[in-house]
Amino acid sequence: MAMQALSRRRTTIRGIGVLVLALVGGVGLAEAPASAAGTTTHVDCSRPSAGDGSPAAPFNSIAQANGRTYGPGDTLAFAAGTTCTGSLAPRGSGTALAPITLTGYGTGALPVIDGGGAANAVSFTNQDHWRVSGLKLTNPAPSLARRTGLRISATDGTAHRGFDIGHLVIDRVAGQTNKNSPTTEDFVQSAGVVTGASGANSTLHDIHVHHNQVSNTGGGGLKIRVGAMAVKGSGVLIEHNTVRDVGGDGIIASYADAPLIQFNEAAGVGNGAYPFSGGNFAGIWVLGDRDPTIQYNAVHDITRMSVADSQAFDCDWGNTGTCTVQYNFSRDNIGGFFLDCDGCGTIGGAKQIVRFNVSENDCRMSSNSAGRSALHLYNNVFYCTDRKFAVTLPDESVVENNIWVGTADSRLPTGPGIQWWWNVFQGVPRPTANGIAGDPRFVDPGTGGDTLASADGYRLRATSPALGNGSVIAGNGGRDYWGNPVSSTAKPHRGAYNGPGL
């Protein structure tokens, strides 16, 4: 279902705009019109005098760019190799068939918009249908405050939609890194990209955030909030982003209907030029959503411990339906692999499915006992040989077909509501009599890197005792971590690999 939804969303996105060529280190843009007839406004802040926005006489300031109202099919383009200082808040809305484009033009380094310590380097409020790409955003300041690189807000009690945010470089944003001071909201509203919906019935829809590089941003990387508990936004797709060394949460999707977070990398979360300084944070997590999915992501090297979190993945409070965490790789995260935080706020009671993931040297899973979530934890690999496991599970948990490699002093949880079936245990004592005790015969364990593909060492050898003897699970997603098929009737392997023995 998740991949079908992705296909539908990609088709929609391809249909509403034109191709903008944007390279990470520079831009090369033709002087072509947008997807519908429109006007291109040029801005070159290196020019000594203000022009009329034409190629021969471009605007030369953020103030000029803010002074014009843009319409369907228009383009606002900044000159490559230049820096404009100020808070860009362009006015106007496009349409689904004729969005407005904010991008760069010419050749050379990405054009830079420097917020100069303002609340936002770029912002949109109660607007629709913008495509933003091919820019570098920065917003440094000598002190921390509520601050972003790019903000999208809905505040007028209506639905707004149609933002494609891609191929941006966002670096050095002096957002608030302390979740407790001066207010929690200052931290919540600080990151590289923040979207928000405030006021009764305000929502955001069709938000595609993709192929961005975010680093050194206080408060976090990407915080995509599109509604509230009472009314949710929709069409949230966050994919192919790289978030490194941000002073807070890596990626969050909140108050959305079926958000999809996939193919992202989050590394060194909590560190950077503006390091996290108080409260809790995590790598990739969801809050207040219905049926969220976190898949095909790599989270690694979270070395800064927050009060209680710092996990790679988190199904937090207020989620309903099913929270699915699948096909991810995590490594060396000090807070561990996964957090069940349904009891950390408004209880949503979402069922949690955590399957076909590989976790190396995370060693920790946490659960807030006040929640109502039921966990189905199956066909994962948990490899922890340098310290003992620290695992707590929801009171209602089914743990099956996993491979656990750990230390003899580890103790996995037991309880009347925790069921252990058909797991493999190497080093770590079995929590119940069920399961295989022995070497699972991985190809090359402990060799994970920074990507999904770096987990290849956790495939199984032909001599593995885990081949073809796991529990059959209905609705298992149909594939393993590597894309091999998983039958709904034939017994699978134990662990995240279901291909032929190697």
Side-chain angles (χ1 to χ4, degrees), residues 343-356:
C344 298
T346 302
I347 294 175
K351 179 179 180 180
Q352 297 173 355
I353 295 178
V354 180
R355 63 189 179 192
F356 295 103

Side-chain angles (χ1 to χ4, degrees), residues 380-402:
N380 303 281
V381 170
F382 300 105
Y383 183 89
C384 176
T385 59
D386 61 349
R387 61 188 186 275
K388 65 181 181 180
F389 279 112
V391 176
T392 58
L393 299 173
D395 292 340
E396 184 181 343
S397 295
V398 177
V399 186
E400 57 186 332
N401 294 354
N402 304 286

Side-chain angles (χ1 to χ4, degrees), residues 267-293:
V269 174
N271 296 324
Y274 307 104
F276 183 79
S277 60
N280 284 306
F281 71 91
I284 299 177
W285 58 289
V286 290
L287 179 149
D289 297 320
R290 187 185 72 83
D291 294 333
T293 299

